[in-house]
Amino acid sequence: MERCLSLQERARLDNLWARASFACNIHFNVFDQPEFRDAVSETAKLGASYKPPPRQRIAGKLLEDNYKSCVVEQGNRLVFDNAMLLGQTFMSDGWTDMNKVPILNFCVSTNQRDALVDIEHCLDAPTKDAEYIADSLERGFQALVAAMVASGHELKAAEQSVVQVLTDGAAACQIGRDEFAGKHPWMLTGWCSLHVISLFFGDVFKRVQLYSRTYDRLHSLIKYMRSHEKTVLTFNKLRSGKEGVRALGLPGPTRMAGKYSMIADGHKQKDVIQATFTNPTVSAWGGKLRGIDKGYYESAKSTAFDTALWLDVETVTKRLADYFMLLRLADGSTPAMGKIYGRMLELDAAFTAREDDADEEEKQVHAFFQSRWEQLSSPLHCAGYALDPEFFGRNQVNNQEVMDGLKEVCNKWLTAEEAGKALEQWLQIVTKQGIFGQERTFEQAKEMSATNFYLLHSSVMPELAKVAQRVLSQPIAVGICERVWSVSYTHLTLPTILLV
């Protein structure tokens, strides 16, 4: 039976804890951690018969035995608690390891933390077709739900915390993803934005002559310079101290957006590249070359001073700059659900304004852009555009696609009555009724995150706030899955999900 403490005894112990916290430099949030409170509680039950282990034991075997499980449990708590509040996105990506074995990973992402759920080798799969991918997604999803239930969450709540499924745009992935989500009617699906925008760059550099020609010529020049010690060392010496001039680089064969990066870098490298070929050391080296080597040198030098090439480089750099910023937005750490849709509309409007003056190649580029955007657009992107305070006043109510997306999301996650209330609350914002008629309300929105805007006003629009916070917290790309491939396989011995 627990003994009741007197006020004096409690005060004395409280002061001892406070002194220990200060003297030992213990963070105050330590006292809120359940592991710490459990240790204190269990120690108190045993009384004076138990002595805490010395420093050497804690820093040695005890730490080794408990470190991994403690990290996993704390990581799970951070991910799961956030997911229960704001939802999470379940995503997958494929890769082939060094032994040519196809593998899949499964990850979850919340607006604060990301985690690896599982990695699956496809050794026994006859083919990675849509049926196999759908089954694999289901296995990964069940592993996630099991980990959440083991952490104390209810089964139904754990399942419904997953609000979006993301994969890349391969046909088998699309069909498998949609088949999997069809079994869980509250889930929405989407393409990885990074993948779709990268495909756009692939379309441009493969199929539009100006862009493919410019890339091929500049790539050949930079490849030659990187392949010869005299030119690459001289270039690096000359670029030293020049702001914005990067080292000579070449993109990987599948990195389509990297082709633009190479050209944009080349635009800034022009003067240094030309100075390299007029440098006395390089000129003397080139003068000694003979035969085919001499021909390659003269060809590279001629390309470096070709005015037409540099005019093309400048044109490509300027025309694709805004599209590349779209890619950066998709790959950034800022939550971009809704923002990507807004930027897409801005790019479309900018082209429409100059369409009469655009040449055929510009029109080709924009046609590819529109085609890829049709693939990327989804109810979540549309709802995000309607809900992000940055875009209030953009007349979304007259955009049928946006309104359909917002309605679909509300109907997926809310009851019919709640969905009706949420849409009414959204109309109050866009028509500036009540508190939303005050300019100060929208000025405040500019100084905080979109999710915090809805948290602040959740008391007057609870249904809409619930939807908006979930929508605006979801990622738009599977970048976390890409980064997982650099995680050591030793992590796979852990019993549950892992923070990345």
Side-chain angles (χ1 to χ4, degrees):
M1 191 175 207
E2 292 186 5
R3 182 173 71 86
C4 293
L5 298 177
S6 67
L7 291 177
Q8 291 83 356
E9 287 176 319
R10 184 176 297 278
R12 184 177 69 84
L13 288 172
D14 286 348
N15 280 302
L16 285 173
W17 276 109
R19 287 178 63 84
S21 173
F22 177 77
C24 302
N25 197 25
I26 300 174
H27 290 287
F28 297 136
N29 62 7
V30 167
F31 293 92
D32 292 328
Q33 298 302 311
E35 292 84 0
F36 180 81
R37 302 188 76 85
D38 286 346
V40 173
S41 176
E42 292 300 317
T43 300
K45 291 178 183 178
L46 292 175
S49 61
Y50 174 77
K51 302 295 182 184
R55 172 184 178 278
Q56 291 80 1
R57 283 192 66 204
I58 290 182
K61 190 174 187 306
L62 288 174
L63 177 63
E64 184 179 333
D65 291 345
N66 289 275
Y67 172 73
K68 285 187 177 181
S69 61
C70 188
V71 168
V72 170
E73 289 169 7
Q74 290 181 345
N76 286 356
R77 192 179 307 118
L78 288 169
V79 173
F80 295 160
D81 290 351
N82 193 254
M84 297 303 293
L85 179 65
L86 299 175
Q88 59 187 328
T89 290
F90 182 62
M91 57 184 72
S92 180
D93 185 45
W95 188 58
T96 301
D97 69 12
M98 64 183 68
N99 296 316
K100 306 300 182 183
V101 175
I103 54 179
L104 293 172
N105 69 28
F106 307 97
C107 298
V108 288
S109 180
T110 71
N111 72 334
Q112 292 188 3
R113 302 301 292 262
D114 303 316
L116 167 66
V117 177
D118 197 8
I119 290 180
E120 181 175 296
H121 282 72
C122 308
L123 289 169
D124 298 326
T127 179
K128 283 170 56 178
D129 58 11
E131 182 180 0
Y132 177 80
I133 290 173
D135 291 343
S136 296
L137 287 170
E138 185 64 35
R139 287 192 293 273
F141 174 64
Q142 293 302 329
L144 169 64
V145 171
M148 295 185 72
V149 171
S151 293
H153 296 286
E154 294 183 358
L155 175 62
K156 185 176 180 180
E159 291 178 335
Q160 296 190 354
S161 69
V162 176
V163 297
Q164 180 184 210
V165 187
L166 274 184
T167 65
D168 67 25
C173 290
Q174 293 180 63
I175 297 170
R177 177 191 66 214
D178 292 344
E179 181 181 331
F180 162 73
K183 300 175 183 177
H184 310 285
W186 64 88
M187 291 186 191
L188 291 156
T189 63
W191 277 34
C192 169
S193 297
L194 272 175
H195 185 234
V196 175
I197 299 171
S198 295
L199 290 175
F200 158 73
F201 279 96
D203 294 335
V204 170
F205 283 110
K206 287 178 181 177
R207 301 168 66 181
V208 184
Q209 186 177 7
L210 167 65
Y211 299 85
S212 60
R213 179 185 70 230
T214 302
Y215 171 76
D216 289 342
R217 296 193 68 202
L218 187 59
H219 182 277
S220 178
L221 172 60
I222 292 176
K223 183 177 180 181
Y224 178 86
M225 295 181 69
R226 281 168 50 94
S227 300
H228 295 85
E229 183 180 12
K230 293 293 185 186
T231 49
V232 74
L233 291 178
T234 301
F235 176 88
N236 286 334
K237 183 178 180 180
L238 293 174
R239 80 176 180 92
S240 178
K242 294 186 180 295
E243 187 176 353
V245 179
R246 299 170 62 181
L248 297 169
L250 295 173
T254 63
R255 302 299 179 184
M256 296 302 169
K259 294 186 175 184
Y260 172 77
S261 295
M262 188 200 76
I263 292 173
D265 286 343
H267 183 51
K268 297 177 181 179
Q269 294 164 341
K270 171 191 170 184
D271 292 341
V272 181
I273 288 174
Q274 292 179 340
T276 298
F277 283 96
T278 58
N279 179 270
T281 301
V282 173
S283 295
W285 167 74
K288 296 177 182 178
L289 297 173
R290 295 291 182 268
I292 193 171
D293 291 335
K294 181 71 170 181
Y296 287 144
Y297 171 79
E298 293 297 339
S299 176
K301 183 175 181 179
S302 175
T303 301
F305 287 94
D306 188 336
T307 302
L309 169 64
W310 296 113
L311 286 174
D312 288 345
V313 166
E314 181 178 7
T315 299
V316 171
T317 299
K318 289 181 177 179
R319 288 185 180 180
L320 292 181
D322 288 338
Y323 297 103
F324 189 71
M325 292 307 296
L326 195 68
L327 185 89
R328 297 287 295 272
L329 177 63
D331 195 32
S333 57
T334 301
M337 187 66 75
K339 296 189 187 301
I340 201 84
Y341 193 103
R343 300 293 179 262
M344 289 280 196
L345 288 182
E346 290 168 3
L347 285 171
D348 189 61
F351 175 79
T352 300
R354 66 174 189 275
E355 186 171 7
D356 291 342
D357 299 322
D359 58 30
E360 285 305 311
E361 289 175 322
E362 273 193 275
K363 293 176 181 178
Q364 279 184 278
V365 169
H366 192 67
F368 287 132
F369 168 75
Q370 288 181 312
S371 175
R372 292 302 180 183
W373 172 237
E374 289 174 4
Q375 295 175 327
L376 182 59
S377 182
S378 70
L380 270 176
H381 283 290
C382 293
Y385 177 63
L387 293 166
D388 192 328
E390 179 183 347
F391 304 109
F392 287 164
R394 297 286 184 94
N395 201 26
Q396 290 101 324
V397 73
N398 290 323
N399 185 322
Q400 191 61 50
E401 181 183 50
V402 170
M403 294 309 301
D404 288 345
L406 179 60
K407 291 174 185 176
E408 181 175 343
V409 171
C410 288
N411 289 329
K412 281 243 182 210
W413 297 347
L414 302 173
T415 66
E417 181 181 358
E418 290 172 334
K421 289 181 179 179
L423 292 171
E424 285 181 8
Q425 292 159 5
W426 181 77
L427 286 172
Q428 289 176 12
I429 295 177
V430 297
T431 57
K432 298 188 175 181
Q433 299 178 33
I435 188 176
F436 303 109
Q438 301 175 13
E439 192 62 31
R440 182 177 61 181
T441 301
F442 294 98
E443 290 298 321
Q444 290 173 342
K446 297 176 183 178
E447 305 299 324
M448 63 181 74
S449 68
T451 52
N452 281 344
F453 171 80
Y454 286 97
L455 178 63
L456 180 65
H457 297 290
S458 59
S459 61
V460 295
M461 49 177 183
E463 291 80 15
L464 182 64
K466 178 181 178 181
V467 171
Q469 287 182 289
R470 288 201 160 201
V471 169
L472 298 170
S473 295
Q474 303 314 309
I476 62 172
V478 298
I480 174 60
C481 290
E482 297 280 353
R483 290 188 286 274
V484 159
W485 299 127
S486 64
V487 176
S488 170
Y489 278 108
T490 58
H491 288 305
L492 301 183
T493 61
L494 294 179
T496 183
I497 76 168
L498 301 154
L499 290 184
V500 177

